[in-house]
Amino acid sequence: MPVHSGRTLKRTCWGILLTFLLGGIVDCRLTISVPGPSIVDAKVGSNVTLSVLYTGATDPVVEWMMGILPIVTWSIGSSQPPDIPARFDALRIESDGSLTFRDVQLKHDSAYTVRMSKSGVGTDKATFTLRVFDDIENVSVSVVPVKIVEGTDAFSLRYSTLQGEADSVKWYFNGKAIENGARYDMGDKSLTIMDPTRRETGRYTLDLTNPFSSVTVDKDIAVLYGPDAPVLAVSPQKVAFDSGDSLSLSCGADGDPAPSVSWVFGGVTLPVSPDGSLNLTNVQTNQSGVYTCVLVNAETGDRLERNFTINVYERPSSSPVCSVEANGNEDLQYRCQWTGGDPEAQLSFPALNTSSSGSGDFNLTVTATPDLSGKAVTCTASHPLLQQNCSVTARGPAGFLPLVSAAVDGDGKLVATVSCDSMSVPIAMVTWSRGGQVITSGGRYLISPNTTVLSILDPTLDTSDLGVYTCDAANPLGRLENNVNLIGPKISESSLLNNQEGTVVTLSWETPRTSIITGFEVQMTGPDLTSSSAGSQPRKPRTDEFRTVQKKPGDARSTHLGTLDPESNYRFRVVPVAGQRVGEPSKEHRAGPGGLSGPAIAGIAAGIPCGILLLLIIIALIVFCACKRKRRQTRYPVSRAVEKVVTTQPNLNAPHNLLTGGLKNVDGPPDYSTHEASSERSSTLPSMVPPLPVRMATTV
Ligand SMILES: *[C@@H]1O[C@H](CO)[C@@H](O)[C@H](O)[C@H]1NC(C)=O
Ligand SMILES: *[C@@H]1O[C@H](CO)[C@@H](O)[C@H](O)[C@H]1NC(C)=O
Ligand SMILES: *[C@@H]1O[C@H](CO)[C@@H](O)[C@H](O)[C@H]1NC(C)=O
Ligand SMILES: *[C@@H]1O[C@H](CO)[C@@H](O)[C@H](O)[C@H]1NC(C)=O
Ligand SMILES: *[C@@H]1O[C@H](CO)[C@@H](O)[C@H](O)[C@H]1NC(C)=O
Ligand SMILES: *[C@@H]1O[C@H](CO)[C@@H](O)[C@H](O)[C@H]1NC(C)=O
Ligand SMILES: *[C@@H]1O[C@H](CO)[C@@H](O)[C@H](O)[C@H]1NC(C)=O
Ligand SMILES: *[C@@H]1O[C@H](CO)[C@@H](O)[C@H](O)[C@H]1NC(C)=O
Ligand SMILES: *[C@@H]1O[C@H](CO)[C@@H](O)[C@H](O)[C@H]1NC(C)=O
């Protein structure tokens, strides 16, 4: 107020000064002043006064306007009531011209102008702004559109109040004040968020204030998104599965709301477990293929598909098999088989042809060149699940011996077979001939389907069937001819050994390789053999006729005979048999004390003294030799053998044992495996040269 009065005083003085300057004709001018604020905030229902003061005139006419609409006109101090329209009946005009609102309403919110005038003194005016506020209540915030999806243009938050308006509006996002900018556009009662992303998900806060109240409203907003690109995985992690395996496919993707997962295979939607994985057990090869993971955002309807390829294979049978066959006379057909796989295994012979391959069963024909003979050709067999190789070596026929065998067929007929197995790969075709005549299957000849075996049915065992046969084996890698001289049943070598007691003999024999033999008959003369030497009755002497005591199969080469009477004389031989026919017997072998006639024994008896003398000389000679050798050679086992001979010497039978080749062996039958050994014995023993006994030295 002091300021006001100061200003008024000033004006008054200026007025007086002006009056003087103008010659005292003009009085002070009418002036309006505003003692309070010209902008007045009021709450609905309150009383508020727009106050004015005036000077320079008495009882001017005052006129209030709401905007440009006159609402009150009155001459101050007049007895006439002010002229106020009915709808402004809440207004009162004060005696100083101020305007009072009783129970002010929102509709009174406006700009007001007051004008005062007095004829002769002039006019003046002042303006007010009346702002009427109500308490802010029942604020609601709405979102447009209802579903906010990442990637759409924009979304807006709009608020409305049921009562009261704010003179200050603030927006916050997650507690942070939002400012206008590229992303945010704050409009009238709205906030627009441009290009929303998932990062715009969060709490939006609206803060409304006016001079009399303030309201804060929170709104949680979710920006929907997804499905994002999924992560596809298979467990266990394998490039290829075996049929029968179990596996689990998963397909996880981010999204709001979390996308639903389904799997489609071959147009069929498969059931998935709650976590969205697809479990397949005992898979089969027909379950190979593309599995499509379908992800759907249930809110937005956005869907995404991703493919995943599963390979299910079946292993081929155990291992690849390589073989080679002749293709005509000049070509070889290599074959590699590895069947049963799904897919079929890829097969090739890289050593033969790098550009040619097959699957499952592959044949490759090549010209038979010499370098292929003996060369291991490898087939590389690959299957998605495993790789294996096999190899085969082709070779031409080479150094083989034809084999002869004989048997008796079901009708009791003799069958001789000649086999020319040339060990060639592929198996060689054999051409059989005799005397330049090619033999064909038929009649008495039978050639095996693979041509390697020639059978002669019921051979005559004379020149018409015996003799030289030729087999000519050929495959694309070469040919080889071989002759076989078929001969009748025959014994080539034979020998006899007896044990020390002279109770058991071992007869052994050999046959020519190409002899037709189905068995052997072992024959003897002399007393019957007994099953056991102990408690035997006196043996009846027998005639000198050979009788068959054993029959042996065709592969037998020796036999034991016992029990012999050491006091009796025996003769043994073996007869080869071919079917019903017999061959020439072996030479005879003797066993027993002598088998010599009475006069011969008498002669020997007379010669005994001479014999003893001769023996003594021999012994002296042996001892002399042994001593002489001993000087050079510390130990020579012959001495023991000699001692043995010496100790047994008084026995007159001893020299005979030595002479008849009866070798003593208590340890068991000697080794007859080679007939050279037996022939060596039979030729060296009778010569009475001492070195051999070394081999028969025994410890008794
Ligand atoms: C406003 O003024 C009227 C009359 O002068 C009075 O009756 C009323 O109580 C006042 N209202 C308020 C809120 O002061
Ligand atoms: C406004 O809100 C209050 C309390 O929140 C409630 O009681 C009232 O009914 C609301 N008014 C309207 C018109 O909705
Ligand atoms: C599917 O396989 C997964 C992983 O092996 C496993 O966790 C899940 O329990 C399985 N679901 C069903 C339904 O078998
Ligand atoms: C796959 O093959 C099995 C038999 O091996 C059959 O039972 C099954 O129906 C087949 N599945 C499909 C999808 O063809
Ligand atoms: C998935 O595989 C199906 C069938 O093989 C094909 O039609 C589709 O185009 C593939 N989808 C994708 C995304 O590669
Ligand atoms: C390999 O095989 C292919 C086709 O099977 C044939 O054209 C080619 O001549 C062969 N190459 C050789 C070196 O034999
Ligand atoms: C390979 O050759 C053999 C015999 O020559 C024949 O049986 C087979 O069918 C052939 N395989 C293929 C795949 O041609
Ligand atoms: C098979 O042969 C190929 C080429 O000859 C070789 O690389 C591979 O190691 C062999 N695989 C096996 C399992 O022997
Ligand atoms: C040829 O055939 C005979 C009789 O059929 C057989 O014994 C022989 O083993 C065969 N040879 C080969 C190499 O297959």
Side-chain angles (χ1 to χ4, degrees):
M1 283 302 148
V3 177
H4 168 77
S5 17
R7 211 189 282 165
T8 313
L9 193 68
K10 243 182 198 166
R11 287 190 187 171
T12 312
C13 290
W14 275 107
I16 291 164
L17 190 66
L18 263 170
T19 309
F20 274 114
L21 287 172
L22 291 171
I25 323 155
V26 184
D27 201 31
C28 275
R29 284 188 63 88
L30 177 60
T31 307
I32 297 177
S33 62
V34 178
S38 61
I39 297 173
V40 178
D41 289 341
K43 190 173 172 186
V44 169
S46 62
N47 296 342
V48 62
T49 301
L50 307 180
S51 306
V52 291
L53 289 173
Y54 68 90
T55 54
T58 54
D59 299 337
V61 175
V62 59
E63 194 181 7
W64 283 93
M65 282 181 293
M66 184 185 193
I68 54 164
L69 180 71
I71 45 174
V72 182
T73 310
W74 189 52
S75 291
I76 293 174
S78 158
S79 57
Q80 292 289 315
D83 179 13
I84 298 173
R87 53 194 186 98
F88 294 114
D89 59 354
L91 299 181
R92 289 282 177 278
I93 191 143
E94 305 297 331
S95 53
D96 61 356
S98 297
L99 186 67
T100 296
F101 296 77
R102 273 184 309 186
D103 190 16
V104 71
Q105 296 298 312
L106 288 175
K107 65 184 180 191
H108 300 135
D109 184 297
S110 182
Y112 291 86
T113 306
V114 59
R115 205 162 56 124
M116 290 189 183
S117 58
K118 181 91 180 177
S119 60
V121 184
T123 63
D124 195 8
K125 64 177 183 180
T127 56
F128 290 87
T129 302
L130 177 61
R131 302 196 307 168
V132 183
F133 294 97
D134 207 347
D135 281 339
I136 302 170
E137 271 177 29
N138 301 56
V139 179
S140 64
V141 177
S142 63
V143 185
V144 180
V146 177
K147 279 180 191 167
I148 308 156
V149 181
E150 186 178 65
T152 52
D153 281 350
F155 72 93
S156 298
L157 297 174
R158 294 195 181 140
Y159 75 85
S160 61
T161 57
L162 265 182
Q163 179 191 301
E165 293 298 334
D167 67 338
S168 159
V169 179
K170 286 207 175 84
W171 292 92
Y172 299 88
F173 173 57
N174 288 340
K176 199 161 169 266
I178 287 174
E179 279 159 23
N180 256 327
R183 181 162 296 281
Y184 298 110
D185 180 22
M186 274 180 277
D188 182 32
K189 297 193 176 189
S190 73
L191 170 69
T192 300
I193 293 109
M194 313 295 206
D195 303 323
T197 69
R198 63 195 69 178
R199 288 191 303 279
E200 270 69 63
T201 294
R203 169 161 292 188
Y204 289 80
T205 305
L206 170 64
D207 191 9
L208 295 177
T209 51
N210 66 21
F212 304 101
S213 70
S214 129
V215 170
T216 301
V217 180
D218 288 332
K219 186 83 180 171
D220 289 328
I221 297 289
V223 179
L224 306 178
Y225 67 95
D228 281 352
V231 178
L232 298 173
V234 63
S235 142
Q237 262 192 317
K238 277 201 207 171
V239 175
F241 290 89
D242 269 32
S243 60
D245 277 358
S246 293
L247 59 98
S248 174
L249 279 168
S250 65
C251 174
D254 204 3
D256 188 6
S260 69
V261 179
S262 59
W263 285 94
V264 177
F265 175 69
V268 178
T269 302
L270 304 171
V272 298
S273 55
D275 63 354
S277 61
L278 173 65
N279 290 7
L280 301 172
T281 53
N282 187 23
V283 287
Q284 298 304 313
T285 52
N286 60 7
Q287 289 172 280
S288 270
V290 175
Y291 286 75
T292 306
C293 165
V294 182
L295 295 156
V296 177
N297 184 319
E299 280 292 324
T300 66
D302 284 346
R303 63 187 274 139
L304 196 66
E305 293 189 0
R306 282 290 183 275
N307 284 348
F308 198 91
T309 302
I310 292 290
N311 295 314
V312 182
Y313 300 132
E314 184 131 359
R315 285 168 189 266
S317 59
S318 54
S319 301
V321 175
C322 285
S323 59
V324 62
E325 280 178 34
N327 185 351
N329 291 333
E330 275 152 25
D331 289 344
L332 288 173
Q333 179 182 280
Y334 285 87
R335 186 178 188 188
C336 187
Q337 283 171 280
W338 203 18
T339 52
D342 190 353
E344 288 191 311
Q346 282 300 305
L347 311 169
S348 67
F349 289 102
L352 299 179
N353 189 328
T354 49
S355 62
S356 188
S357 66
S359 51
D361 181 3
F362 173 52
N363 286 329
L364 183 64
T365 302
V366 293
T367 308
T369 49
D371 63 305
L372 287 177
S373 190
K375 172 176 172 178
V377 173
T378 300
C379 166
T380 308
S382 9
H383 184 267
L385 292 176
L386 73 169
Q387 155 146 24
Q388 283 194 22
N389 294 342
C390 63
S391 63
V392 62
T393 304
R395 61 172 70 85
F400 62 91
L401 277 181
L403 297 177
V404 174
S405 62
V408 176
D409 69 8
D411 301 334
K413 293 248 172 63
L414 176 66
V415 180
T417 55
V418 187
S419 168
C420 261
D421 187 357
S422 61
M423 309 300 281
S424 59
V425 181
I427 179 170
M429 285 290 125
V430 178
T431 308
W432 294 90
S433 59
R434 184 163 185 242
Q437 290 271 304
V438 171
I439 296 172
T440 53
S441 218
R444 288 168 47 241
Y445 294 120
L446 185 67
I447 296 172
S448 73
N450 64 22
T451 72
T452 60
V453 180
L454 168 68
S455 302
I456 306 162
L457 310 178
D458 200 11
T460 58
L461 299 188
D462 60 21
T463 49
S464 64
D465 276 336
L466 300 179
V468 175
Y469 287 76
T470 302
C471 65
D472 178 5
N475 77 3
L477 288 170
R479 73 184 314 137
L480 195 68
E481 199 177 87
N482 234 315
N483 288 336
V484 52
N485 186 12
L486 219 52
I487 57 176
K490 194 173 178 207
I491 302 292
S492 55
E493 313 250 3
S494 61
S495 62
L496 188 76
L497 298 174
N498 70 312
N499 66 351
Q500 201 177 12
E501 290 78 28
T503 55
V504 177
V505 294
T506 302
L507 181 62
S508 39
W509 63 92
E510 288 296 331
T511 65
R513 204 171 48 77
T514 61
S515 177
I516 299 171
I517 289 171
T518 57
F520 301 94
E521 288 181 359
V522 178
Q523 298 185 337
M524 64 179 280
T525 65
D528 280 341
L529 302 174
T530 58
S531 56
S532 154
S533 58
S536 59
Q537 280 104 15
R539 298 163 200 245
K540 277 182 258 165
R542 296 280 297 235
T543 58
D544 269 1
E545 297 243 326
F546 274 104
R547 61 187 188 281
T548 299
V549 291
Q550 284 183 352
K551 290 196 173 179
K552 304 299 273 182
D555 58 354
R557 289 295 179 271
S558 70
T559 185
H560 300 293
L561 292 151
T563 308
L564 277 61
D565 176 6
E567 306 300 324
S568 304
N569 289 318
Y570 297 92
R571 283 183 295 147
F572 298 98
R573 69 179 190 188
V574 60
V575 181
V577 177
Q580 306 295 327
R581 282 154 289 182
V582 296
E584 201 180 308
S586 70
K587 68 179 178 198
E588 292 175 15
H589 299 277
R590 286 162 186 275
L596 300 175
S597 60
I601 292 167
I604 288 169
I608 282 174
C610 303
I612 289 170
L613 193 70
L614 190 72
L615 270 171
L616 283 174
I617 293 167
I618 291 169
I619 288 164
L621 215 80
I622 290 169
V623 169
F624 173 75
C625 288
C627 291
K628 212 173 167 190
R629 277 187 198 184
K630 227 174 187 173
R631 264 173 232 154
R632 277 172 294 181
Q633 194 178 330
T634 45
R635 181 145 177 80
Y636 188 55
V638 78
S639 56
R640 276 202 71 178
V642 171
E643 272 167 39
K644 193 171 201 71
V645 173
V646 172
T647 51
T648 53
Q649 191 236 347
N651 183 345
L652 285 181
N653 294 331
H656 290 294
N657 278 349
L658 206 62
L659 281 170
T660 50
L663 302 181
K664 294 175 179 141
N665 192 328
V666 271
D667 292 341
D671 177 19
Y672 309 127
S673 54
T674 59
H675 56 81
E676 287 99 300
S678 54
S679 64
E680 184 198 350
R681 277 168 202 139
S682 51
S683 61
T684 52
L685 275 175
S687 72
M688 294 274 298
V689 181
L692 204 65
V694 173
R695 300 182 61 177
M696 294 155 290
T698 53
T699 48
V700 185

